[in-house]
Amino acid sequence: MFLALIAALAASPVEAEARQILDEILRVDTSHGNETAALQPLLVRFQRAGVRAQILESAPGRGNLVARVPGTGAMRPLLLLAHIDVVPIEGQPWTVPPFQPTEKDGYLYARGVNDDKAMAAAFTAIALEAARTPQKLSRDLIVALTAGEETGGLAGAYWLARNHRDLIDAELALNEGGGLTVTPDLSRMESVEIGVAEKTFQSYSLIVKGKGGHSSMPPTNSDPVVTLARALQRVGELRFPAKVLPEAREGIALRALHEKPPLSDALKHVAQAGTVSPEDDAVIGKDQLANAQIRTTCVTTMLKAAPQDNVLPTTAEATVNCRILPDETREQTQARLAQAIGDPAVELKPLEDIGFAKPSPISGPVNEAVHGAVRALWGEVPVSHAMGTGATDSRHLRAIGIQSYGLGGAPGTLEDARAGRALHGADERRPIRWLGEGVRFLREVTLRLARSP
């Protein structure tokens, strides 16, 4: 608490308000919907500041807040987008209450503190500050806090893009999908990533049929669970071709600076060459973070069979989730899976298509704004463009012509990411001393983009 008190005393008004908002929304469980409840207090804040704002529900309780702070109109609007939903916590070994912000050992723990409520709080505070400032910016600032990103964005950004495009239409958008990495001892900012591309999210269902019956008389010729298990083992052993995409090259080179040999050497080689040799692939393929940067990946995430322990299943089913490189297709990935499984008894079919979009340009105003902000705040810290291994709402914006870029809003360490204490993990956390710095960074980038040159 002492560290938090010191940080609060040193914080600017926008940082302090962002932290207040963050604590408010972290306390609302949005892991299974319920976004409207989290957004209501934010709507009140905007209305009290005289900002035109509304909550649009794609379904009961699935709210999306859209607010607009008018500028002079000299430039087209800037969209600040963050999602308010979080992934579930069921089955995870949390040591603190997931929906009660907890300060411990210099960290703030809570589900969503990293993904993505810190960014939502920061964008809200930044827009409120702009609304209270007499001098208008050159762009309208549009804040969109969305539902359902973790389940494809169909209840949130996708729905807004299809049904209320006029409310979010902008030249540029800032969203999650980048990174602010601090040193393991939390002493300084180590690197900054700008997300310009991301893998395609696609899940496939593997289904094997059986005759069913009583478990006391198991089949002697074919068992759907065993057949499915063999297929899943082949999926687990499948390695897609390794390659270096232009959008990922800088991020790979930057990752090399953070790692130790032999991984650092292998990453350096592939970043310089633009190709992946078998020798380097053998090293990179053992590291889960680095491996995801150079190939499409598929992993089994869900299993389903009989409804009771004494019943033979009539269907054994698995869900395989793939993250597909931007230059590959869902159809190509499905064909590779089918080839690897090699068993006609296994039905393979794609599940819901949740969208794909081409990368955003590497050069341009966002690139310049981020480089300028980093120099102003932290000096000569490396900045790189990167490809996200996870999917974000940016693809829904890029699909309708809005150039969307991923930034980091809550600085953290690579060690926490590897330990599973970052996005989607148990004991999700962020260092308290860096929360305000994340707000300052997003504010600086926003102002550089929204002020006249």
Side-chain angles (χ1 to χ4, degrees):
M1 290 298 293
F2 178 73
L3 289 176
L5 177 60
I6 295 297
L9 292 173
S12 68
V14 68
E15 293 170 47
E17 184 164 24
R19 177 57 197 273
Q20 291 173 1
I21 295 168
L22 178 59
D23 284 351
E24 277 183 354
I25 58 180
L26 287 174
R27 291 190 178 96
V28 183
D29 181 353
T30 54
S31 61
H32 299 282
N34 200 36
E35 292 93 346
T36 298
L39 292 171
Q40 287 288 357
L42 277 60
L43 178 65
V44 172
R45 285 179 183 265
F46 278 117
Q47 291 173 338
R48 287 176 178 169
V51 176
R52 190 171 76 238
Q54 57 185 312
I55 294 176
L56 303 160
E57 290 192 328
S58 55
R62 309 306 306 271
N64 297 275
L65 187 151
V66 181
R68 182 182 292 258
V69 179
T72 65
M75 296 188 288
R76 290 185 60 206
L78 172 65
L79 174 62
L80 307 177
L81 184 138
H83 66 88
I84 209 76
D85 65 306
V86 298
V87 296
I89 52 86
E90 287 82 358
Q92 293 188 338
W94 283 74
T95 62
V96 298
F99 298 103
Q100 178 181 314
T102 303
E103 295 181 5
K104 185 174 72 170
D105 302 327
Y107 288 84
L108 179 64
Y109 291 74
R111 170 59 86 224
V113 68
N114 169 43
D115 184 17
D116 183 34
K117 290 184 176 180
M119 181 165 279
F123 282 156
T124 300
I126 291 164
L128 288 170
E129 180 192 48
R132 296 168 185 145
T133 302
Q135 186 174 0
K136 289 187 176 182
L137 298 171
S138 298
R139 301 180 190 267
D140 287 7
L141 289 186
I142 304 171
V143 175
L145 307 179
T146 62
E149 188 274 345
E150 298 292 0
T151 50
L154 304 183
Y158 178 87
W159 182 81
L160 286 174
R162 294 301 181 275
N163 296 282
H164 299 281
R165 179 172 176 172
D166 59 314
L167 297 180
I168 63 169
D169 197 29
E171 178 184 8
L172 302 168
L174 304 180
N175 184 26
E176 65 171 344
L180 297 173
T181 302
V182 297
T183 54
D185 64 358
L186 311 182
S187 64
R188 60 182 176 83
M189 182 62 62
E190 192 169 42
S191 63
V192 175
E193 289 186 334
I194 309 169
V196 294
E198 58 189 42
K199 286 183 166 181
T200 300
F201 178 109
Q202 181 63 55
S203 288
Y204 299 87
S205 180
L206 278 63
I207 302 171
V208 182
K209 299 293 185 179
K211 294 181 180 179
H214 198 288
S215 63
S216 66
M217 297 176 286
T220 57
N221 54 353
S222 64
D223 184 334
V225 173
V226 174
T227 301
L228 179 63
R230 291 195 187 105
L232 295 180
Q233 182 174 357
R234 292 166 186 158
V235 170
E237 294 169 348
L238 174 62
R239 292 293 178 270
F240 287 79
K243 63 182 76 171
V244 181
L245 298 186
E247 294 81 13
R249 197 165 181 173
E250 288 184 20
I252 292 172
L254 182 61
R255 176 62 55 81
L257 300 177
H258 298 320
E259 304 294 351
K260 297 177 182 178
L263 180 57
S264 59
D265 294 333
L267 291 170
K268 190 182 301 181
H269 292 162
V270 302
Q272 290 173 346
T275 57
V276 185
S277 69
E279 296 77 15
D280 288 332
D281 191 13
V283 176
I284 295 173
K286 295 177 182 178
D287 183 272
Q288 65 186 92
L289 300 183
N291 179 66
Q293 287 289 324
I294 63 168
R295 57 168 40 91
T296 291
T297 61
C298 293
V299 62
T300 303
T301 56
M302 300 175 71
L303 295 168
K304 181 181 178 182
Q308 192 167 295
D309 61 355
N310 62 348
V311 176
L312 294 176
T314 56
T315 300
E317 185 173 350
T319 298
V320 171
N321 178 248
C322 297
R323 304 301 173 117
I324 305 169
L325 288 175
D327 68 337
E328 299 175 9
T329 68
R330 297 179 181 86
E331 293 74 21
Q332 290 171 332
T333 302
Q334 182 172 344
R336 288 296 302 273
L337 286 171
Q339 182 182 35
I341 293 168
D343 188 343
V346 181
E347 180 186 0
L348 174 65
K349 63 179 183 179
L351 297 179
E352 196 166 28
D353 178 353
I354 60 172
F356 163 79
K358 295 180 179 179
S360 294
I362 288 177
S363 61
V366 174
N367 176 63
E368 295 168 6
V370 171
H371 276 82
V374 170
R375 284 193 300 270
L377 295 175
W378 304 307
E380 296 304 315
V381 170
V383 178
S384 69
H385 301 91
M387 177 194 69
T389 57
T392 75
D393 280 334
S394 285
R395 68 190 182 283
H396 302 310
L397 303 179
R398 291 171 180 145
I400 61 171
I402 301 174
Q403 293 183 13
S404 185
Y405 292 85
L407 301 182
T413 66
L414 287 178
E415 288 69 25
D416 267 1
R418 283 202 170 91
R421 291 189 294 264
L423 61 166
H424 296 198
D427 281 352
E428 182 179 348
R429 69 181 193 175
R430 276 298 186 251
I432 295 169
R433 63 164 292 185
W434 283 99
L435 288 173
E437 290 287 298
V439 177
R440 290 177 62 205
F441 169 69
L442 294 175
R443 177 181 182 272
E444 186 71 21
V445 173
T446 297
L447 293 180
R448 285 173 180 265
L449 288 169
R451 285 173 175 158
S452 295

